[in-house]
Coordinates of all heavy atoms in Angstrom, one line a residue:
L1458 N -90.0 19.6 63.3 CA -89.8 20.9 62.7 C -89.9 20.8 61.2 O -89.4 19.9 60.6 CB -88.5 21.4 63.1 CG -88.3 21.6 64.7 CD1 -86.8 22.0 64.9 CD2 -89.2 22.6 65.2
H1459 N -90.3 21.9 60.6 CA -90.5 21.9 59.1 C -89.6 23.0 58.5 O -89.7 24.2 58.9 CB -92.0 22.2 58.8 CG -92.2 22.3 57.3 ND1 -92.5 21.3 56.6 CD2 -92.1 23.4 56.5 CE1 -92.7 21.6 55.3 NE2 -92.4 22.9 55.3
L1460 N -88.7 22.5 57.6 CA -87.9 23.5 56.8 C -88.1 23.1 55.4 O -88.1 21.9 55.0 CB -86.4 23.3 57.2 CG -86.1 23.6 58.7 CD1 -84.6 23.3 58.9 CD2 -86.4 25.1 59.0
D1461 N -88.3 24.1 54.5 CA -88.5 23.8 53.1 C -87.1 23.5 52.4 O -87.1 22.7 51.5 CB -89.3 24.9 52.4 CG -90.7 25.0 53.0 OD1 -91.4 24.0 52.9 OD2 -91.0 26.0 53.6
I1462 N -86.1 24.3 52.8 CA -84.8 24.1 52.2 C -83.8 24.2 53.4 O -83.9 25.1 54.2 CB -84.4 25.2 51.2 CG1 -85.4 25.1 50.0 CG2 -83.0 25.0 50.7 CD1 -85.2 26.3 49.0
A1463 N -82.9 23.3 53.5 CA -81.9 23.3 54.6 C -80.5 23.1 54.0 O -80.2 22.2 53.2 CB -82.2 22.2 55.6
Q1464 N -79.6 24.0 54.4 CA -78.1 23.9 54.1 C -77.5 23.5 55.4 O -77.2 24.3 56.3 CB -77.6 25.2 53.6 CG -78.0 25.7 52.3 CD -77.4 27.0 51.9 OE1 -77.3 27.9 52.7 NE2 -77.0 27.1 50.7
T1465 N -77.2 22.2 55.5 CA -76.7 21.7 56.8 C -75.3 22.2 57.1 O -75.0 22.5 58.3 CB -76.7 20.1 56.8 OG1 -75.9 19.7 55.7 CG2 -78.1 19.6 56.7
E1466 N -74.4 22.4 56.1 CA -73.1 22.8 56.4 C -73.0 24.2 56.9 O -72.2 24.6 57.8 CB -72.2 22.7 55.1 CG -72.6 23.6 54.0 CD -73.7 23.1 53.1 OE1 -74.1 21.9 53.3 OE2 -74.2 23.9 52.3
S1467 N -73.9 25.1 56.5 CA -73.9 26.5 57.0 C -75.0 26.7 58.1 O -75.1 27.8 58.6 CB -74.1 27.5 55.9 OG -75.4 27.2 55.3
Q1468 N -75.9 25.7 58.3 CA -77.0 25.8 59.2 C -77.9 27.0 58.9 O -78.4 27.7 59.7 CB -76.5 25.9 60.7 CG -75.9 24.6 61.2 CD -75.7 24.6 62.7 OE1 -75.1 25.5 63.2 NE2 -76.3 23.6 63.3
R1469 N -78.2 27.1 57.6 CA -79.2 28.1 57.1 C -80.3 27.3 56.5 O -80.1 26.3 55.9 CB -78.5 29.0 56.1 CG -77.6 30.0 56.8 CD -77.1 31.0 55.8 NE -76.0 30.4 55.0 CZ -75.4 31.0 54.1 NH1 -75.7 32.2 53.7 NH2 -74.4 30.4 53.4
S1470 N -81.5 27.9 56.6 CA -82.7 27.2 56.1 C -83.7 28.2 55.5 O -83.6 29.4 55.8 CB -83.3 26.4 57.2 OG -83.8 27.2 58.2
V1471 N -84.6 27.7 54.8 CA -85.7 28.5 54.2 C -87.0 27.9 54.7 O -87.2 26.7 54.6 CB -85.7 28.6 52.7 CG1 -86.9 29.3 52.1 CG2 -84.4 29.3 52.2
R1472 N -87.9 28.7 55.1 CA -89.2 28.3 55.5 C -90.2 29.1 54.8 O -90.3 30.4 54.9 CB -89.4 28.4 57.0 CG -90.8 28.1 57.5 CD -91.0 26.6 57.5 NE -92.1 26.2 58.4 CZ -93.4 26.2 58.0 NH1 -93.7 26.5 56.8 NH2 -94.3 25.8 58.9
V1473 N -91.0 28.5 53.9 CA -92.1 29.2 53.2 C -93.3 29.3 54.1 O -93.8 28.3 54.5 CB -92.5 28.5 51.8 CG1 -93.6 29.3 51.1 CG2 -91.2 28.4 50.9
V1474 N -93.7 30.6 54.4 CA -94.8 30.8 55.3 C -96.1 30.8 54.5 O -96.2 31.6 53.5 CB -94.6 32.2 56.0 CG1 -95.8 32.4 56.9 CG2 -93.3 32.2 56.8
T1475 N -97.0 30.0 54.9 CA -98.3 29.9 54.2 C -99.4 30.4 55.1 O -99.2 30.7 56.3 CB -98.7 28.4 53.8 OG1 -98.9 27.7 55.0 CG2 -97.5 27.8 53.0
S1476 N -100.7 30.5 54.6 CA -101.8 30.9 55.4 C -102.0 30.0 56.5 O -102.6 30.4 57.6 CB -103.0 31.1 54.5 OG -103.3 29.8 53.9
N1477 N -101.6 28.7 56.4 CA -101.8 27.8 57.5 C -100.9 28.1 58.7 O -101.1 27.6 59.8 CB -101.5 26.3 57.1 CG -102.5 25.8 56.1 OD1 -103.7 26.2 56.1 ND2 -102.1 25.0 55.2
D1478 N -99.9 28.9 58.5 CA -98.9 29.3 59.5 C -99.4 30.6 60.3 O -98.7 31.0 61.2 CB -97.5 29.5 59.0 CG -97.0 28.3 58.3 OD1 -97.1 27.2 58.9 OD2 -96.4 28.4 57.2
C1479 N -100.5 31.1 59.8 CA -100.9 32.4 60.3 C -102.3 32.4 60.9 O -103.1 31.4 60.6 CB -100.9 33.5 59.2 SG -99.3 33.7 58.5
L1480 N -102.6 33.3 61.8 CA -104.0 33.4 62.3 C -105.0 33.7 61.2 O -104.6 34.4 60.2 CB -104.0 34.6 63.4 CG -103.1 34.4 64.6 CD1 -103.1 35.6 65.5 CD2 -103.5 33.1 65.4
V1481 N -106.1 33.2 61.4 CA -107.2 33.3 60.3 C -107.4 34.7 59.9 O -107.6 35.6 60.8 CB -108.5 32.6 60.8 CG1 -109.6 32.9 59.8 CG2 -108.3 31.2 61.1
G1482 N -107.4 35.0 58.7 CA -107.6 36.3 58.1 C -106.5 37.3 58.3 O -106.7 38.5 58.0
T1483 N -105.3 36.9 58.8 CA -104.2 37.8 59.0 C -102.9 37.2 58.5 O -102.9 36.0 58.1 CB -104.0 38.1 60.5 OG1 -103.5 37.0 61.1 CG2 -105.3 38.5 61.2
W1484 N -101.9 37.9 58.5 CA -100.5 37.4 58.2 C -99.7 37.4 59.5 O -98.5 37.4 59.5 CB -99.8 38.2 57.1 CG -100.4 37.9 55.8 CD1 -101.2 38.7 55.0 CD2 -100.4 36.6 55.1 NE1 -101.6 38.0 53.9 CE2 -101.1 36.7 53.9 CE3 -99.8 35.4 55.4 CZ2 -101.3 35.7 53.0 CZ3 -99.9 34.4 54.5 CH2 -100.7 34.5 53.3
I1485 N -100.4 37.3 60.6 CA -99.7 37.2 61.9 C -99.5 35.7 62.2 O -100.4 34.9 62.2 CB -100.6 37.8 63.1 CG1 -100.8 39.3 62.8 CG2 -99.9 37.6 64.4 CD1 -101.8 40.0 63.7
E1486 N -98.2 35.4 62.4 CA -97.9 34.0 62.6 C -98.5 33.4 63.9 O -98.5 34.1 64.9 CB -96.4 33.7 62.6 CG -95.8 34.0 61.2 CD -94.3 33.8 61.2 OE1 -93.7 33.4 62.2 OE2 -93.7 33.9 60.1
T1487 N -98.9 32.2 63.9 CA -99.5 31.5 65.1 C -98.4 31.3 66.1 O -97.2 31.3 65.8 CB -100.1 30.2 64.7 OG1 -99.1 29.3 64.2 CG2 -101.2 30.3 63.7
G1488 N -98.8 31.0 67.3 CA -97.9 30.7 68.4 C -97.0 29.5 68.1 O -95.8 29.5 68.3
S1489 N -97.6 28.5 67.5 CA -96.9 27.3 67.1 C -95.8 27.5 66.0 O -94.7 27.0 66.1 CB -97.8 26.1 66.8 OG -98.6 26.4 65.6
T1490 N -96.2 28.4 65.1 CA -95.2 28.8 64.0 C -94.0 29.5 64.6 O -92.9 29.3 64.3 CB -95.9 29.6 63.0 OG1 -97.0 28.8 62.4 CG2 -95.0 30.0 61.9
R1491 N -94.3 30.5 65.6 CA -93.3 31.2 66.2 C -92.4 30.3 67.1 O -91.2 30.5 67.2 CB -93.9 32.4 67.0 CG -94.5 33.5 66.1 CD -94.8 34.8 66.8 NE -95.4 34.6 68.1 CZ -96.7 34.8 68.3 NH1 -97.5 35.3 67.4 NH2 -97.2 34.6 69.5
L1492 N -93.1 29.4 67.8 CA -92.3 28.4 68.6 C -91.3 27.6 67.8 O -90.2 27.5 68.1 CB -93.2 27.5 69.4 CG -92.6 26.4 70.2 CD1 -91.6 26.9 71.2 CD2 -93.6 25.4 70.7
E1493 N -91.8 27.1 66.6 CA -91.0 26.4 65.7 C -89.7 27.2 65.3 O -88.6 26.7 65.3 CB -91.8 26.0 64.5 CG -91.0 25.2 63.5 CD -91.8 24.9 62.3 OE1 -91.8 25.7 61.3 OE2 -92.4 23.8 62.2
A1494 N -90.0 28.5 65.0 CA -88.9 29.4 64.6 C -87.8 29.5 65.7 O -86.6 29.5 65.5 CB -89.4 30.7 64.1
R1495 N -88.3 29.7 66.9 CA -87.4 29.8 68.1 C -86.6 28.6 68.3 O -85.4 28.6 68.7 CB -88.2 30.2 69.3 CG -88.7 31.7 69.3 CD -89.1 32.1 70.7 NE -90.2 31.3 71.3 CZ -91.5 31.4 71.1 NH1 -91.9 32.4 70.3 NH2 -92.4 30.6 71.7
L1496 N -87.3 27.4 68.2 CA -86.6 26.1 68.4 C -85.5 25.9 67.4 O -84.3 25.5 67.7 CB -87.6 25.0 68.3 CG -88.5 24.8 69.5 CD1 -89.6 23.7 69.2 CD2 -87.8 24.6 70.8
V1497 N -85.7 26.3 66.1 CA -84.7 26.1 65.1 C -83.6 27.1 65.4 O -82.4 26.7 65.2 CB -85.4 26.4 63.7 CG1 -84.3 26.5 62.6 CG2 -86.3 25.3 63.3
E1498 N -83.9 28.3 65.8 CA -82.9 29.3 66.1 C -82.0 28.8 67.3 O -80.8 28.9 67.3 CB -83.5 30.6 66.5 CG -82.6 31.7 66.7 CD -83.3 33.1 66.9 OE1 -84.0 33.5 66.0 OE2 -83.2 33.6 68.1
R1499 N -82.6 28.2 68.3 CA -81.9 27.7 69.5 C -80.9 26.6 69.1 O -79.9 26.3 69.8 CB -82.8 27.3 70.6 CG -83.4 28.4 71.3 CD -83.9 28.0 72.6 NE -84.3 29.2 73.4 CZ -85.0 29.1 74.4 NH1 -85.3 28.0 75.0 NH2 -85.4 30.2 75.0
L1500 N -81.3 25.9 68.0 CA -80.4 24.8 67.5 C -79.2 25.4 66.7 O -78.4 24.6 66.2 CB -81.2 23.8 66.7 CG -82.2 22.9 67.4 CD1 -83.1 22.2 66.4 CD2 -81.5 22.0 68.4
G1501 N -79.2 26.7 66.6 CA -78.0 27.3 65.9 C -78.3 27.6 64.5 O -77.3 28.0 63.8
W1502 N -79.5 27.4 64.0 CA -79.8 27.7 62.6 C -80.3 29.1 62.4 O -80.9 29.7 63.2 CB -80.9 26.7 62.1 CG -80.4 25.3 61.9 CD1 -79.9 24.5 62.9 CD2 -80.2 24.6 60.7 NE1 -79.5 23.3 62.3 CE2 -79.7 23.3 61.0 CE3 -80.5 24.9 59.4 CZ2 -79.5 22.4 60.0 CZ3 -80.3 24.0 58.4 CH2 -79.7 22.8 58.7
T1503 N -80.0 29.6 61.2 CA -80.6 30.9 60.7 C -81.7 30.5 59.7 O -81.4 29.8 58.7 CB -79.5 31.8 60.1 OG1 -78.5 32.0 61.1 CG2 -80.1 33.1 59.6
T1504 N -82.9 31.0 59.9 CA -83.9 30.7 58.9 C -84.4 32.0 58.2 O -84.7 33.0 58.9 CB -85.1 30.0 59.7 OG1 -84.6 28.8 60.3 CG2 -86.2 29.7 58.7
V1505 N -84.5 31.9 56.9 CA -85.1 32.9 56.1 C -86.6 32.5 55.9 O -86.9 31.4 55.5 CB -84.4 33.1 54.7 CG1 -85.1 34.1 53.9 CG2 -83.0 33.4 54.9
R1506 N -87.5 33.4 56.3 CA -88.9 33.2 56.2 C -89.4 33.9 54.9 O -89.2 35.1 54.7 CB -89.6 33.7 57.4 CG -89.0 33.0 58.6 CD -89.7 33.3 59.9 NE -90.9 32.7 60.1 CZ -91.1 31.4 60.3 NH1 -90.0 30.6 60.2 NH2 -92.3 30.9 60.4
V1507 N -90.1 33.1 54.0 CA -90.5 33.6 52.7 C -92.0 33.5 52.6 O -92.5 32.4 52.8 CB -89.8 32.8 51.6 CG1 -90.3 33.3 50.2 CG2 -88.3 32.9 51.7
P1508 N -92.7 34.6 52.4 CA -94.2 34.5 52.2 C -94.5 33.6 50.9 O -93.8 33.8 49.9 CB -94.6 35.9 52.0 CG -93.5 36.7 52.5 CD -92.3 35.9 52.3
F1509 N -95.5 32.8 51.0 CA -95.8 31.9 49.9 C -96.1 32.6 48.6 O -95.8 32.2 47.5 CB -96.9 30.9 50.3 CG -98.3 31.5 50.2 CD1 -99.0 31.4 49.0 CD2 -98.8 32.2 51.3 CE1 -100.3 32.0 49.0 CE2 -100.1 32.7 51.2 CZ -100.8 32.6 50.1
Y1510 N -96.8 33.8 48.8 CA -97.2 34.5 47.6 C -96.0 35.1 46.9 O -96.1 35.3 45.6 CB -98.2 35.6 48.0 CG -97.8 36.5 49.1 CD1 -97.0 37.6 48.9 CD2 -98.2 36.3 50.4 CE1 -96.6 38.5 49.9 CE2 -97.8 37.1 51.5 CZ -97.0 38.2 51.2 OH -96.7 39.0 52.3
E1511 N -94.9 35.4 47.5 CA -93.7 35.8 46.8 C -93.0 34.6 46.2 O -92.6 34.7 45.0 CB -92.7 36.4 47.8 CG -93.1 37.8 48.3 CD -92.1 38.4 49.2 OE1 -90.9 37.9 49.4 OE2 -92.4 39.4 49.9
W1512 N -93.0 33.4 46.9 CA -92.4 32.2 46.3 C -93.1 31.7 45.1 O -92.6 31.3 44.1 CB -92.3 31.1 47.4 CG -91.5 30.0 47.0 CD1 -92.0 28.7 46.7 CD2 -90.1 29.8 46.9 NE1 -91.0 27.9 46.4 CE2 -89.8 28.5 46.5 CE3 -89.1 30.7 47.2 CZ2 -88.5 28.1 46.3 CZ3 -87.8 30.3 47.0 CH2 -87.5 29.0 46.6
D1513 N -94.5 31.8 45.1 CA -95.3 31.3 44.0 C -95.1 32.1 42.8 O -95.4 31.6 41.7 CB -96.8 31.3 44.4 CG -97.2 30.2 45.3 OD1 -96.3 29.3 45.5 OD2 -98.3 30.2 45.9
E1514 N -94.7 33.4 42.9 CA -94.4 34.2 41.7 C -93.2 33.8 40.9 O -93.0 34.2 39.8 CB -94.3 35.7 42.1 CG -95.7 36.3 42.5 CD -95.5 37.7 42.9 OE1 -94.4 38.3 42.8 OE2 -96.5 38.3 43.4
L1515 N -92.3 33.0 41.6 CA -91.0 32.6 41.0 C -91.3 31.4 40.1 O -91.8 30.4 40.5 CB -90.0 32.3 42.0 CG -89.8 33.4 43.1 CD1 -88.9 32.9 44.2 CD2 -89.2 34.6 42.4
T1516 N -91.1 31.6 38.8 CA -91.5 30.6 37.8 C -90.5 29.5 37.4 O -90.9 28.6 36.7 CB -92.0 31.3 36.5 OG1 -90.9 32.1 36.0 CG2 -93.1 32.3 36.8
C1517 N -89.3 29.7 37.9 CA -88.3 28.6 37.5 C -87.2 28.6 38.6 O -87.1 29.4 39.5 CB -87.6 29.0 36.1 SG -86.6 30.5 36.1
D1518 N -86.4 27.5 38.5 CA -85.3 27.3 39.5 C -84.4 28.5 39.6 O -83.9 28.9 40.6 CB -84.5 26.0 39.2 CG -85.3 24.8 39.4 OD1 -86.4 24.9 40.1 OD2 -84.9 23.7 39.0
L1519 N -84.0 29.1 38.4 CA -83.1 30.2 38.4 C -83.7 31.4 39.2 O -83.0 32.0 40.0 CB -82.8 30.6 37.0 CG -81.8 31.8 36.8 CD1 -80.5 31.5 37.5 CD2 -81.6 32.2 35.4
E1520 N -85.0 31.7 39.0 CA -85.6 32.8 39.7 C -85.6 32.5 41.2 O -85.3 33.4 42.0 CB -87.0 33.0 39.3 CG -87.1 33.7 37.9 CD -88.5 34.0 37.5 OE1 -89.5 33.8 38.3 OE2 -88.7 34.6 36.4
Q1521 N -85.8 31.2 41.6 CA -85.8 30.9 43.0 C -84.4 31.0 43.6 O -84.2 31.5 44.7 CB -86.3 29.4 43.2 CG -87.8 29.3 42.9 CD -88.2 27.8 43.0 OE1 -87.4 26.9 43.0 NE2 -89.5 27.6 42.9
D1522 N -83.4 30.6 42.8 CA -82.0 30.7 43.3 C -81.6 32.2 43.4 O -80.9 32.5 44.4 CB -81.0 30.0 42.3 CG -81.1 28.5 42.3 OD1 -81.7 28.0 43.3 OD2 -80.7 27.9 41.4
I1523 N -82.0 33.0 42.5 CA -81.7 34.5 42.6 C -82.4 35.1 43.8 O -81.8 35.8 44.6 CB -82.1 35.2 41.3 CG1 -81.2 34.7 40.2 CG2 -82.0 36.7 41.5 CD1 -81.6 35.2 38.8
Y1524 N -83.6 34.7 44.0 CA -84.4 35.2 45.2 C -83.7 34.8 46.5 O -83.5 35.6 47.4 CB -85.8 34.7 45.1 CG -86.7 35.1 46.2 CD1 -87.5 36.2 46.1 CD2 -86.8 34.4 47.4 CE1 -88.3 36.6 47.2 CE2 -87.6 34.8 48.5 CZ -88.4 35.9 48.3 OH -89.2 36.3 49.4
L1525 N -83.4 33.5 46.6 CA -82.7 33.0 47.8 C -81.3 33.7 48.0 O -81.0 34.0 49.2 CB -82.6 31.5 47.8 CG -84.0 30.8 47.9 CD1 -83.8 29.3 47.7 CD2 -84.7 31.1 49.2
S1526 N -80.6 33.8 47.0 CA -79.3 34.5 47.1 C -79.4 35.9 47.6 O -78.6 36.3 48.4 CB -78.6 34.5 45.7 OG -78.2 33.2 45.3
A1527 N -80.4 36.6 47.2 CA -80.7 37.9 47.7 C -81.0 37.9 49.2 O -80.8 38.9 49.9 CB -81.8 38.6 46.9
K1528 N -81.6 36.8 49.7 CA -81.9 36.6 51.1 C -80.7 36.0 51.9 O -80.8 35.8 53.1 CB -83.1 35.7 51.2 CG -84.4 36.3 50.6 CD -85.1 37.2 51.5 CE -86.4 37.5 50.9 NZ -87.1 38.6 51.7
G1529 N -79.6 35.7 51.2 CA -78.5 35.2 51.9 C -78.4 33.7 51.9 O -77.6 33.1 52.7
V1530 N -79.2 33.0 51.2 CA -79.2 31.5 51.1 C -79.0 31.1 49.7 O -79.7 31.6 48.8 CB -80.5 30.9 51.7 CG1 -80.5 29.4 51.6 CG2 -80.7 31.4 53.1
T1531 N -78.1 30.2 49.5 CA -77.9 29.6 48.1 C -78.5 28.2 48.1 O -78.0 27.3 48.7 CB -76.4 29.6 47.7 OG1 -75.9 30.9 47.9 CG2 -76.2 29.1 46.3
A1532 N -79.6 28.1 47.3 CA -80.2 26.8 47.2 C -79.4 25.9 46.3 O -79.4 24.7 46.5 CB -81.6 26.9 46.6
N1533 N -78.8 26.4 45.3 CA -78.0 25.7 44.3 C -76.5 25.8 44.6 O -76.0 26.9 44.4 CB -78.3 26.1 42.9 CG -77.6 25.3 41.8 OD1 -76.7 24.6 42.1 ND2 -78.1 25.4 40.6
P1534 N -75.9 24.8 45.1 CA -74.4 24.9 45.5 C -73.5 25.4 44.4 O -72.5 26.0 44.6 CB -74.1 23.5 45.9 CG -75.3 22.8 46.2 CD -76.4 23.4 45.4
K1535 N -74.0 25.2 43.1 CA -73.2 25.6 42.0 C -73.1 27.1 41.9 O -72.2 27.7 41.3 CB -73.7 25.1 40.7 CG -73.6 23.6 40.6 CD -74.3 23.1 39.3 CE -74.3 21.5 39.3 NZ -75.0 21.0 38.2
L1536 N -74.0 27.8 42.6 CA -74.1 29.3 42.6 C -73.3 29.9 43.7 O -73.1 31.1 43.8 CB -75.5 29.8 42.6 CG -76.4 29.4 41.4 CD1 -77.8 30.0 41.6 CD2 -75.8 29.9 40.1
A1537 N -72.8 29.0 44.6 CA -72.1 29.5 45.8 C -70.8 30.1 45.5 O -70.2 29.7 44.5 CB -72.0 28.4 46.8

């Protein structure tokens, strides 16, 4: 399973969705991508899915932390 950021104590994670995770020419996630999400959820984790084009616009760690905080995940424990 692939998670880009994982908070083990709260079982929350972030998964950046790329074009490789979607059907060709669309933003519809592939069956294997959806299966991975269901498996992580069955393990008791909550995953925030972030489109890569939104993540790529964030130019520094602070912007990423603010973005994730708005989604309910704190990447930097100092901000918790």
Side-chain angles (χ1 to χ4, degrees):
L1458 299 176
H1459 177 90
L1460 300 174
D1461 295 299
I1462 298 172
Q1464 290 181 316
T1465 55
E1466 65 281 348
S1467 63
Q1468 290 191 304
R1469 288 187 281 177
S1470 63
V1471 175
R1472 175 73 160 87
V1473 178
V1474 179
T1475 69
S1476 59
N1477 293 332
D1478 300 314
C1479 300
L1480 299 173
V1481 175
T1483 72
W1484 287 110
I1485 299 170
E1486 293 182 357
T1487 64
S1489 60
T1490 300
R1491 292 193 315 252
L1492 173 61
E1493 179 183 86
R1495 285 194 306 272
L1496 290 173
V1497 170
E1498 186 177 294
R1499 282 201 178 169
L1500 291 171
W1502 285 68
T1503 301
T1504 301
V1505 174
R1506 306 185 72 68
V1507 178
F1509 79 93
Y1510 50 85
E1511 289 181 9
W1512 189 255
D1513 284 349
E1514 290 179 5
L1515 306 173
T1516 59
C1517 66
D1518 290 344
L1519 180 59
E1520 286 184 2
Q1521 291 174 349
D1522 289 343
I1523 292 169
Y1524 180 92
L1525 292 175
S1526 291
K1528 300 274 188 186
V1530 177
T1531 303
N1533 184 344
K1535 294 177 185 174
L1536 297 178

